[in-house]
Amino acid sequence: MVSRRKFYLFLFVFLLFLGIVVWAQKNFQPVQYNHKLHVEDAGLSCTDCHVNVETHERASIPNIAVCGDCHDDPETDNAEIKKVVSYVQEESRIPWQTVHRVRDYAYFSHRRHVTLGQLECETCHGNVSARELPFEKPYVEINMSWCIDCHEQRAVTTDCYACHR
């Protein structure tokens, strides 16, 4: 009887833990950012918020300097906007979690791909303008075979040293 209770207790704790992990993965961004709303209602493009995408290695994840341009008025019924306004007023960075990550041993430049290579953001990130919630996981698994396929399709170098420095 005691071992049966232990089993059920263990099962309960395990399922509770599993539920918390699943919930946390679905809601792990500090703000439930709606790309669709910003594109359709505000008329923004990727480069309006990801200001470094055309000029730097990293696209930059927008933060209070960018978000505060529009979101500085706490008079709203929208809980997500209230969160952003709070970060802006407190001059506290929004703790966005990185979703799209290139391995440390590979070199990737947004400028090279977007400006020089003329790739659209959707190539790697999918139809972001239709997303009503933040990314939970990358649109595609960013790995060497995916990158090589893309380079070969576009007749771009596949020389190891182009990406591995």
Side-chain angles (χ1 to χ4, degrees):
M1 193 63 149
V2 172
S3 64
R4 190 174 215 181
R5 272 193 216 151
K6 284 182 180 180
F7 171 76
Y8 284 119
L9 178 63
F10 172 78
L11 184 62
F12 173 76
V13 170
F14 175 75
L15 291 174
L16 180 65
F17 174 75
L18 187 62
I20 290 170
V21 168
V22 169
W23 177 84
Q25 287 183 342
K26 294 230 176 260
N27 299 292
F28 77 106
Q29 292 295 359
V31 176
Q32 296 304 295
Y33 183 82
N34 185 331
H35 280 90
K36 183 177 182 180
L37 182 74
H38 286 80
V39 171
E40 291 180 2
D41 291 0
L44 297 176
S45 69
C46 300
T47 57
D48 289 323
C49 298
H50 298 278
V51 295
N52 293 332
V53 72
E54 295 176 322
T55 57
H56 290 78
E57 178 180 324
R58 297 194 177 193
S60 71
I61 298 175
N63 221 295
I64 61 171
V66 173
C67 302
D69 285 346
C70 299
H71 298 293
D72 60 353
D73 184 4
E75 298 300 317
T76 180
D77 293 332
N78 184 307
E80 298 308 308
I81 294 175
K82 284 182 180 181
K83 289 179 193 176
V84 173
V85 169
S86 176
Y87 284 115
V88 170
Q89 289 179 338
E90 294 169 9
E91 297 182 8
S92 176
R93 292 187 60 77
I94 302 170
W96 297 113
Q97 301 300 309
T98 303
V99 174
H100 298 89
R101 184 181 317 256
V102 176
R103 304 274 186 206
D104 290 340
Y105 52 78
Y107 172 77
F108 178 86
S109 167
H110 272 91
R111 182 186 71 83
R112 260 180 148 177
H113 288 81
V114 173
T115 304
L116 303 175
Q118 302 284 306
L119 290 180
E120 296 295 326
C121 302
E122 292 80 9
T123 305
C124 302
H125 300 288
N127 188 8
V128 178
S129 62
R131 294 190 66 86
E132 295 180 4
L133 292 171
F135 282 96
E136 297 170 12
K137 62 181 183 178
Y139 172 69
V140 295
E141 182 183 345
I142 301 171
N143 59 39
M144 189 165 156
S145 64
W146 186 79
C147 294
I148 292 290
D149 289 346
C150 186
H151 277 225
E152 287 176 347
Q153 289 169 10
R154 289 165 177 77
V156 178
T157 185
T158 56
D159 183 290
C160 298
Y161 293 110
C163 303
H164 299 277
R165 298 177 175 187

